[in-house]
Amino acid sequence: MRKGIDLIILVVLILFIFRGLLGFGLRVANDFPLTPQESLKTGLSLPQTWSRTGDNFGEYVVSTLWSWPLDFLYGLGATLGISFSVLERILGVLLFLAVGIFSIRKFLSELEVGKYAKFVASLFYLTNTFVLLLIDGGQFQIALAYALFPLVFTLVLRGTKAGLREKLVSGILVSFLVFTDIRFIYVLGILLFLKFIYEVIFLEGGRFFRYFLDWFKTGIVIIFVFLGLNFYWILPAVLIKAPTLPATYQRVTQTSFLSFATLGHSLFMLQPHWYKNVFGKVTPILPEFVLIPILVFLAPILRKKEKEIGFWLLVALVGVFLVKGSNPPLPGVYPWLFTHIPGFSLFRDPTKFFFLVALSYSVLVGFSVDKIGDVIESFSGKFKSGFLKSYILNPRFFVLLLTSYFLLLARPVWLGKMTGTFSQPVYQEEFQRVNKTIENDSGFGRVFWIPTKAPLGFSSPTHPSLEASRFYQKRPFASGTVGSYEVFNFLREAPFMGEIFDVAGIKYIAYPYPDTRREELKQDNIDYYFSFLDQITNLPWIEARLSKAPVPLLKVKNSQDHFFLTGNTFLIVGSDGIYNELIKVKGFKLAENGLVFAEEKPGIGDVCKDSFCRVVLYGKGQIDFAATFIDKSRFIFPAQYLDFDPNPLTRSEQVGWWKRETFDFLWMRDFLQQKYRIDNLDFDYGGGWAIAEGTQKLEVEIKNSGVENILLARVMRSGRSGRIEFFQEDRKIGQIDTKIEKPEKVVIKLTGYKDIPDRVTVFDKADFAWFEVGGLASSKHLTIKTSGDINIVNALAVIPKNKWLEMERVAGNYQTVEWNKLSMEEREGLFSSIDKARVEYKRISPTHYKVKIEGLERPTTLAFSESFDTLWQANGLSSFPLYSLINGFYIESNGEYDVYFSAQKYILPGMLVSVALLIILLFLVVRRKRIKKPSIIFK
C-alpha cells in the first residue's frame, strides 16, 4: 500500500459511514437537542455558575463548568452567524473524526503496529457500536473524549520519559480531556495505574526508584497544569460550595439499574442498546460480532511472550469485567467498587468503561492482523505467481475482508436505521410551527414537556423548557400524584396544579406523540395518549389547545413573570396538603400568597423575622412550630445509619430497620397506602425516614449530649403504629405512644380513561409530630425500641434545656393561627391581598438580574422562579424556599435590587489565573527545545 493511501481509504470509509450525519438538514438527539441562535450566543461569555441545562428551573452547575471551553466555541460560532446545523457538523462530527483519526493512528504508530494493521485497528476504533451510539445519541463531548483518549495516554507516557516540555504538553492534553468530560480522567487514571504496576513487575533490580521518580514528577506537573487551567471553576467549588451528585446517583442500587451490558456484550464489544439506542431495551448477543473477540484473543496466541501484548490483554480483561457492571460473574464486585472506591460513583453506567475495551481491543486486533499478515506472506511464498498468490494469499485481501466485516457490523448506520443524529428527525414541520408560536411570544413563560423535551423542541432564556420526567418526584408536583404507576397524573388529579403552574411561570404544555421508530406502541398506549391529552386539555386552568397531535401545544390561563411580588407571606407548619384546602377558598390566588413550608428543611422558622409573615399551624401544635427554630447542627436523622432494605447489617441492633430518603416521597407514600392503608404528606426536614415494622431495636449515636440537654423526637402517629421507647443503657428516658385510636379519613380519587372507571380509595390519615422525650444523662448511644405494626422516626434533636425553653418562648411570641379552627370567611380574609406594588426587571446574565420595585406599602416577598438555592441573594440577603420550589426574598422598601448568584463572583479571579497559566504554558512549550521522542513500548 503506497504511502498515505491507507489514510485516504480510512477517511473515505469513515465518511461513507457518517454520510447520513454530514448531509443537509437538522440532526438532533435526546442529548443534543435543537438550540436556537439566541441560546447558543450565551456561550460567548464568562462561565456561569447557574444554568438551566439541568431541569431548566436552574441549578448550581460548577460541577460541569469544565466543559465551558466547548460552550465558548459554540457561542463564538453562533455570534459569527454560523447556524446550529453547521456548528453541529464542525464542532461535533468533523472535530471528532479529525481528532479521532489522528489520535488513534498516532497511538498505534507509537506501538509500532504495521500499516495494514493500523488501518484495520483505526477503522475498528472509530466505527464500533459504542462510539457510533455515542454519536447517534448526540453525546459529542463524550465522543470527543473518546477520540482524544489514545493521544492523551501516549503523551502522558512520553512525558514520563522526557523533559519538562513533554510533561507540560501532557498536562495540557489531560486538561483538554477534562474539557470534554472530566469522568474520563478517572478512566485514564485506571489505565495509567495498570501501566505503572505492569512495568514495575518487569523492572530490573535497582531501577524502581528512578522509575517511580519519573512518574511522580510527571504526575506533579500534570496535576499543577490541570488545577491551573481549571482554576476558573475549582475556585468557587472550594470557596463556596463543592459540587455534589444528586442523592440517588450514589445509591448502590444504581449499579444494578444501569448495568445493561452482560459479559457477552462486553466481550463482543456490542453496545447493549445497539442500534435503536432506546434506554432499557437491551439487544441480545448478536452472533455476527463473534469475530471481534476471536481477533482480539488471537494476539497472545500468535505473538507469545510479548510484554506489550500482556499489558493490553490485562487492560482488555479489566475493561470487559467493568463494562458488565453488577451482572454475573462476580456481580458483587462492581457495587463494592462503586461504594468503597473514591470517585467510582461517577460511573453509575458501567458502559463508560468501553473506553478501555475499545482501546485495548484496537491494539490487540492490530497485533493479530500484523501477525496473520506475516503468516499469509510466509505461506504465499510456497506458491508460484498466479491468481491465488497475487490476490487471495495476500495481506491486502485479508485487510479487505476485515474492512468489509466492520462495515457490515455498522450497516444500521449507513442503511439509515438509526434513530438519532444519523437519521432525519420526525415531525419536523409540526415542530417548526409550534416553535414559531412559542418564539413569537415575547413574554416570559416556561414550556412543560411531557414526558421529556423533544430534541426538536424550542427552548430559550425567555422560554425555558421543563420536563415532567424530572419534576414528578419533586414537591409540590409529587404531592398531587395519585399512586405510583401513572406518575404524571398530578396534572389531572391535583386541583391546585394550575396555581403551581402559575407561580412556576409555566405558560405552555407540550405533549408530543411518541417517536414510533424508538417505541413499539400498542393500542392501549395509543388510547392512553389521546385520552390523557383530552383530559389535560379540558382542565379548568388550561386556556386553549394551540396545535393538534403529533405535537399538541396547550396554553395555560395564568403564568407569572420571572419575578413577582406575593403580597402576603405565610409560614406553614405542616404539610403541603394545605394546597388542597386553599383551592377551596373563594378568590384564592397562590401567586398573591407566598407559602414557606417550615418543616421542609431545618431552621426555616427564622424566615418570619420582624413579623414579616404570618404563621399557620396546619394540623400541628406549638411544639412543632418551636422545633422549626432548631439549628441543623442539632438534628440527628436515624435514617443515615440504615440501609434501604431491612436486611441484617453490621450492627445487630439495626436488624429489621430500613430507610427511605426525601427523594423517595412518592414511593414511601404509595408503600404506606398499599400495605398499611394510611396516607401522609408531611415533610421530612430533608433527613428521610427510619422505618421499623413490628418489634425492633435501633442504636443511634448521640452528639452534644449532657445532663442539661433534652431529647426531642419527630415520629409518625397512625392507626397502625404503637409505641416508641428511648433508652440510654438500662435507663429509660421516655416513650411516645404513636397509635391513633380513631384516625381521620382521607379520600383519594383516581380518574379513569376509556373503559376504565374512576377509582375512589379511603385511607387513614397519619401525621408526624415532635415530642419532648426527656433529659439525657450522658453522651452514650441512644437505644430506640418499637412495638406496633409500623413506626417511623424522622428526626431526633439534642438541645440544651435553656435553649429549648427560649425557642418555645420565641415561638409563643408569634401570632399563630390554627387552620382547623378557621371558618371559611376567616380563611378568605386571611388570604386576601390588595397589594398594588409593581416589579420590573432586567436580565444581565443567567447569574445577575436588576430588579426595580415601586408602590410597595409594607414588607413583602419578591418571588424569583428559579430553583431554590441560598446562594441567590438580593442586595446581599439570601433567599428562602417558596412553595418548596423557587426563591423568595424579604423586601421591605421600594428601590432597585441587585439579584445575584453569589458563587459567580469567584469566576473572574479564577479565569484570570487559568488564562495567565495557559499563556505561560504555551510560551514554555513553544520556546523550549524539542527533546528526542522516546518509544513507549517495552524493550
Side-chain angles (χ1 to χ4, degrees):
M1 193 178 290
R2 288 178 292 178
K3 185 177 181 180
I5 193 68
D6 61 323
L7 176 59
I8 295 173
I9 295 174
L10 178 66
V11 171
V12 169
L13 289 175
I14 291 176
L15 290 178
F16 168 75
I17 294 173
F18 281 74
R19 73 187 192 283
L21 180 50
L22 296 172
F24 294 103
L26 278 175
R27 296 293 186 274
V28 292
N30 289 332
D31 289 320
F32 197 81
L34 172 67
T35 307
Q37 292 293 104
E38 178 188 2
S39 298
L40 285 173
K41 290 177 182 178
T42 60
L44 190 64
S45 64
L46 285 174
Q48 299 295 310
T49 52
W50 185 264
S51 173
R52 297 197 188 109
T53 55
D55 60 21
N56 273 330
F57 243 119
E59 63 182 344
Y60 180 52
V61 291
V62 71
S63 60
T64 57
L65 278 187
W66 39 261
S67 66
W68 171 77
L70 284 175
D71 296 334
F72 184 85
L73 292 177
Y74 275 97
L76 177 62
T79 304
L80 294 175
I82 303 175
S83 68
F84 169 83
S85 294
V86 176
L87 285 172
E88 177 185 30
R89 268 70 168 189
I90 296 173
L91 297 178
V93 187
L94 294 178
L95 182 60
F96 159 75
L97 293 178
V99 172
I101 291 172
F102 175 79
S103 176
I104 188 62
R105 286 174 60 84
K106 184 73 172 175
F107 167 73
L108 293 170
S109 295
E110 292 281 328
L111 291 171
E112 299 180 352
V113 175
K115 183 181 294 185
Y116 295 129
K118 183 165 63 176
F119 171 84
V120 173
S122 299
L123 182 64
F124 170 78
Y125 188 76
L126 296 172
T127 62
N128 60 70
T129 61
F130 173 68
V131 70
L132 289 177
L133 279 196
L134 286 180
I135 297 293
D136 189 60
Q139 295 179 299
F140 290 121
Q141 287 190 208
I142 296 180
L144 185 56
Y146 177 88
L148 267 173
F149 196 74
L151 181 62
V152 176
F153 178 68
T154 301
L155 294 181
V156 170
L157 289 186
R158 182 182 296 178
T160 64
K161 299 182 179 181
L164 179 61
R165 180 182 180 276
E166 280 67 23
K167 288 177 170 58
L168 292 175
V169 170
S170 66
I172 294 173
L173 262 293
V174 167
S175 295
F176 284 177
L177 185 62
V178 171
F179 297 155
T180 59
D181 196 313
I182 196 171
R183 290 174 296 180
F184 297 107
I185 295 300
Y186 200 95
V187 180
L188 177 66
I190 293 174
L191 184 59
L192 291 170
F193 174 76
L194 293 175
K195 182 70 172 177
F196 177 83
I197 296 300
Y198 190 80
E199 288 209 25
V200 166
I201 294 174
F202 293 99
L203 279 178
E204 297 176 0
R207 293 184 55 196
F208 174 78
F209 179 76
R210 176 67 181 175
Y211 178 74
F212 174 80
L213 190 62
D214 290 339
W215 277 74
F216 179 77
K217 289 189 292 185
T218 303
I220 292 296
V221 172
I222 290 174
I223 291 172
F224 172 77
V225 174
F226 163 76
L227 292 176
L229 294 183
N230 289 274
F231 199 67
Y232 67 91
W233 66 266
I234 292 176
L235 184 63
V238 172
L239 296 182
I240 296 293
K241 186 166 66 173
T244 56
L245 293 171
T248 57
Y249 279 32
Q250 300 187 51
R251 295 182 180 179
V252 70
T253 53
Q254 291 284 301
T255 60
S256 57
F257 176 65
L258 294 173
S259 291
F260 296 113
T262 64
L263 183 62
H265 288 103
S266 51
L267 275 173
F268 282 35
M269 193 63 204
L270 174 61
Q271 218 282 359
H273 293 123
W274 179 258
Y275 56 90
K276 289 189 176 182
N277 207 9
V278 178
F279 180 82
K281 294 186 178 180
V282 178
T283 300
I285 305 299
L286 301 176
E288 59 262 36
F289 285 82
V290 70
L291 186 57
I292 292 176
I294 291 176
L295 283 171
V296 167
F297 294 106
L298 269 178
I301 297 174
L302 296 175
R303 299 176 60 166
K304 299 177 180 179
K305 298 182 180 180
E306 291 192 22
K307 294 179 181 178
E308 194 70 17
I309 289 180
F311 168 69
W312 290 108
L313 183 62
L314 171 65
V315 174
L317 294 175
V318 170
V320 165
F321 184 81
L322 292 177
V323 165
K324 74 171 185 59
S326 60
N327 286 319
L330 301 176
V333 174
Y334 195 90
W336 187 91
L337 294 172
F338 185 88
T339 305
H340 294 88
I341 303 299
F344 219 86
S345 58
L346 293 171
F347 298 93
R348 299 180 306 140
D349 176 8
T351 59
K352 298 298 185 291
F353 290 107
F354 265 128
F355 268 54
L356 297 177
V357 180
L359 188 63
S360 57
Y361 272 29
S362 297
V363 175
L364 294 171
V365 166
F367 285 149
S368 292
V369 172
D370 254 350
K371 188 61 178 179
I372 292 173
D374 293 342
V375 172
I376 290 174
E377 283 191 346
S378 175
F379 187 70
S380 66
K382 300 179 181 180
F383 294 84
K384 297 180 179 179
S385 60
F387 177 82
L388 184 63
K389 180 175 181 178
S390 301
Y391 296 98
I392 305 301
L393 295 178
N394 188 317
R396 284 176 291 186
F397 181 71
F398 178 62
V399 169
L400 177 62
L401 290 177
L402 289 181
T403 301
S404 302
Y405 172 67
F406 290 137
L407 288 176
L408 179 67
L409 295 182
R411 65 188 181 280
V413 179
W414 48 268
L415 289 177
K417 294 183 177 181
M418 307 298 282
T419 62
T421 60
F422 282 114
S423 63
Q424 292 277 356
V426 296
Y427 314 137
Q428 289 192 59
E429 293 182 2
E430 292 84 353
F431 273 106
Q432 287 175 3
R433 289 195 292 268
V434 167
N435 292 350
K436 196 67 177 177
T437 299
I438 299 172
E439 190 175 10
N440 289 339
D441 181 356
S442 59
F444 178 83
R446 292 182 169 88
V447 185
F448 191 82
W449 293 86
I450 308 172
T452 58
K453 179 180 175 292
L456 282 176
F458 183 81
S459 182
S460 71
T462 307
H463 297 291
S465 294
L466 305 178
E467 296 184 334
S469 62
R470 292 176 181 263
F471 276 81
Y472 76 93
Q473 298 209 64
K474 291 187 177 183
R475 299 285 188 105
F477 302 95
S479 301
T481 302
V482 177
S484 60
Y485 177 73
E486 193 187 9
V487 294
F488 305 137
N489 66 26
F490 59 82
L491 289 164
R492 181 190 65 221
E493 304 298 345
F496 57 84
M497 198 48 59
E499 296 294 325
I500 300 298
F501 272 49
D502 183 19
V503 298
I506 300 174
K507 187 178 285 189
Y508 300 99
I509 298 175
Y511 186 23
Y513 192 75
D515 185 348
T516 53
R517 300 173 307 168
R518 299 170 58 84
E519 298 186 44
E520 297 178 3
L521 298 180
K522 298 179 181 179
Q523 189 58 46
D524 283 348
N525 303 127
I526 298 171
D527 292 342
Y528 176 80
Y529 170 83
F530 286 105
S531 176
F532 190 60
L533 175 60
D534 288 339
Q535 287 173 343
I536 59 177
T537 300
N538 295 322
L539 291 169
W541 47 275
I542 297 295
E543 182 176 293
R545 185 190 294 187
L546 303 182
S547 62
K548 299 180 180 180
V551 191
L553 182 71
L554 312 180
K555 187 174 183 181
V556 177
K557 283 183 179 178
N558 300 304
S559 64
Q560 297 299 312
D561 207 340
H562 211 169
F563 289 88
F564 61 95
L565 297 171
T566 64
N568 297 324
T569 304
F570 296 91
L571 184 75
I572 308 297
V573 184
S575 76
D576 53 5
I578 196 172
Y579 285 126
N580 292 303
E581 304 290 340
L582 289 171
I583 205 68
K584 300 173 185 177
V585 176
K586 184 178 179 181
F588 174 79
K589 291 185 178 180
L590 188 59
E592 296 176 356
N593 297 277
L595 305 186
V596 182
F597 291 95
E599 296 181 319
E600 184 182 0
K601 301 174 186 295
I604 291 183
D606 291 328
V607 167
C608 268
K609 59 185 177 181
D610 302 325
S611 300
F612 156 59
C613 63
R614 282 169 281 189
V615 179
V616 177
L617 302 180
Y618 180 63
K620 304 297 177 182
Q622 200 67 21
I623 186 175
D624 298 294
F625 177 38
T628 65
F629 295 96
I630 300 174
D631 186 80
K632 183 179 180 180
S633 63
R634 297 193 177 276
F635 271 78
I636 300 169
F637 295 109
Q640 69 182 335
Y641 298 98
L642 303 174
D643 203 347
F644 288 94
D645 297 311
N647 296 323
L649 303 179
T650 304
R651 302 176 65 92
S652 61
E653 293 83 357
Q654 297 177 3
V655 175
W657 285 80
W658 50 284
K659 74 172 179 179
R660 282 296 180 268
E661 296 177 340
T662 304
F663 186 80
D664 302 308
F665 168 75
L666 265 184
W667 186 97
M668 185 67 183
R669 187 185 181 195
D670 186 64
F671 164 77
L672 292 175
Q673 289 177 348
Q674 299 302 319
K675 186 170 183 179
Y676 293 101
R677 311 306 291 173
I678 59 179
D679 185 52
N680 179 259
L681 287 171
D682 276 311
F683 291 96
D684 69 339
Y685 279 92
W689 304 275
I691 304 156
E693 298 180 86
T695 302
Q696 305 292 347
K697 184 171 69 171
L698 175 67
E699 206 172 87
V700 178
E701 183 180 351
I702 293 295
K703 299 178 181 178
N704 302 322
S705 61
V707 293
E708 296 297 325
N709 289 352
I710 62 171
L711 174 68
L712 301 176
R714 188 171 188 257
V715 301
M716 185 185 77
R717 300 181 301 176
S718 75
R720 300 294 299 274
S721 300
R723 177 178 298 172
I724 303 179
E725 298 174 295
F726 299 85
F727 296 85
Q728 280 190 305
E729 294 185 336
D730 295 329
R731 174 179 172 267
K732 185 175 181 179
I733 299 171
Q735 70 178 38
I736 302 172
D737 292 324
T738 56
K739 185 175 180 63
I740 302 175
E741 295 299 335
K742 294 182 178 181
E744 295 180 38
K745 301 298 180 181
V746 179
V747 179
I748 297 179
K749 176 186 174 183
L750 178 62
T751 305
Y753 77 96
K754 201 179 177 183
D755 298 328
I756 301 176
D758 296 350
R759 188 182 72 193
V760 177
T761 311
V762 180
F763 300 102
D764 290 340
K765 184 177 181 180
D767 66 59
F768 280 83
W770 283 98
F771 294 88
E772 187 174 325
V773 179
L776 295 173
S778 66
S779 60
K780 295 180 180 179
H781 287 189
L782 179 72
T783 301
I784 303 173
K785 296 181 180 180
T786 65
S787 60
D789 291 338
I790 181 169
N791 284 281
I792 301 178
V793 180
N794 167 220
L796 306 174
V798 178
I799 309 172
K801 188 173 183 178
N802 61 332
K803 287 186 177 293
W804 174 239
L805 291 174
E806 176 63 17
M807 291 177 192
E808 288 186 307
R809 186 192 66 78
V810 171
N813 290 336
Y814 282 82
Q815 292 185 351
T816 60
V817 294
E818 294 186 44
W819 178 262
N820 293 335
K821 294 182 180 180
L822 294 176
S823 66
M824 186 57 72
E825 291 75 16
E826 289 173 322
R827 294 176 181 179
E828 291 175 8
L830 184 64
F831 289 94
S832 64
S833 175
I834 55 173
D835 194 15
K836 298 180 180 179
R838 301 179 304 279
V839 58
E840 298 176 357
Y841 69 94
K842 181 180 179 181
R843 182 181 185 270
I844 309 301
S845 73
T847 56
H848 190 194
Y849 296 81
K850 292 287 187 180
V851 182
K852 185 177 181 181
I853 297 175
E854 296 177 335
L856 191 66
E857 298 178 352
R858 58 189 174 91
T860 189
T861 293
L862 172 65
F864 175 41
S865 61
E866 297 277 326
S867 296
F868 167 71
D869 195 305
T870 55
L871 294 180
W872 278 111
Q873 298 179 344
N875 286 1
L877 286 176
S878 294
S879 65
F880 51 83
L882 204 59
Y883 311 117
S884 307
L885 186 65
I886 62 177
N887 297 278
F889 299 101
Y890 172 69
I891 302 296
E892 59 182 355
S893 61
N894 296 313
E896 187 174 273
Y897 290 82
D898 203 48
V899 177
Y900 189 67
F901 193 66
S902 56
Q904 186 64 24
K905 63 185 176 183
Y906 295 101
I907 288 293
L908 183 57
M911 180 59 71
L912 292 176
V913 172
S914 295
V915 172
L917 180 61
L918 179 61
I919 294 172
I920 294 171
L921 289 173
L922 293 177
F923 175 79
L924 292 174
V925 168
V926 171
R927 291 296 301 269
R928 289 184 68 86
K929 293 182 179 180
R930 293 183 176 274
I931 299 175
K932 183 179 179 181
K933 179 184 71 174
S935 173
I936 67 169
I937 63 172
F938 290 105
K939 296 296 183 181

